Amino acid sequence: MVYVDKTQNVSQINFLVSGRYQSFTEYADANSNGVVEEGGRKILPIGSIFPSNDAKAKGITLSTADVTNGAVPVAVMVEGYVLPQRLAAAPTAEAKTALAGIKWRDEAPTEA
């Protein structure tokens, strides 16, 4: 079911290092880890570790999801290169281990 509301301006920080990634559709709801309240709405931000920031992690959300009115589909990246400093929350060591397909990169290039 589609919900229509006022138009809002959104800015998002790019956390992808490369345009090559693999994602799958999952369903997020208001009980999902990382949901925050913004303007009376329940929002799962882009760059959240999904479904939880621990050993149960499956991937990283590629879009912001409004879960105020129930479960909604969300793209979850399971493979690709990511800048962890730009995610909605820093991944735990357990989440990094669980996300075997995600390659973690430093923001600044290292000198040889």
Side-chain angles (χ1 to χ4, degrees):
M1 178 176 245
V2 178
Y3 297 93
V4 180
D5 205 352
K6 293 188 286 184
T7 303
Q8 298 179 21
N9 291 329
V10 178
S11 65
Q12 299 174 342
I13 296 176
N14 183 12
F15 58 85
L16 296 174
V17 177
S18 168
R20 302 186 84 176
Y21 60 86
Q22 180 67 48
S23 68
F24 295 103
T25 303
E26 297 281 348
Y27 281 87
D29 60 22
N31 297 320
S32 298
N33 185 53
V35 171
V36 295
E37 289 220 18
E38 291 181 10
R41 313 289 300 169
K42 293 181 181 178
I43 306 293
L44 179 63
I46 185 172
S48 297
I49 307 295
F50 184 85
S52 56
N53 195 357
D54 57 19
K56 297 176 186 172
K58 292 182 181 179
I60 300 169
T61 58
L62 287 175
S63 59
T64 299
D66 184 343
V67 295
T68 305
N69 297 309
V72 295
V74 62
V76 177
M77 183 175 81
V78 295
E79 219 174 88
Y81 290 86
V82 171
L83 297 170
Q85 306 87 340
R86 296 185 180 184
L87 294 176
T92 63
E94 295 86 11
K96 283 185 173 184
T97 302
L99 298 172
I102 304 293
K103 308 298 186 264
W104 307 97
R105 299 283 309 252
D106 289 331
E107 190 163 357
T110 56
E111 294 183 29

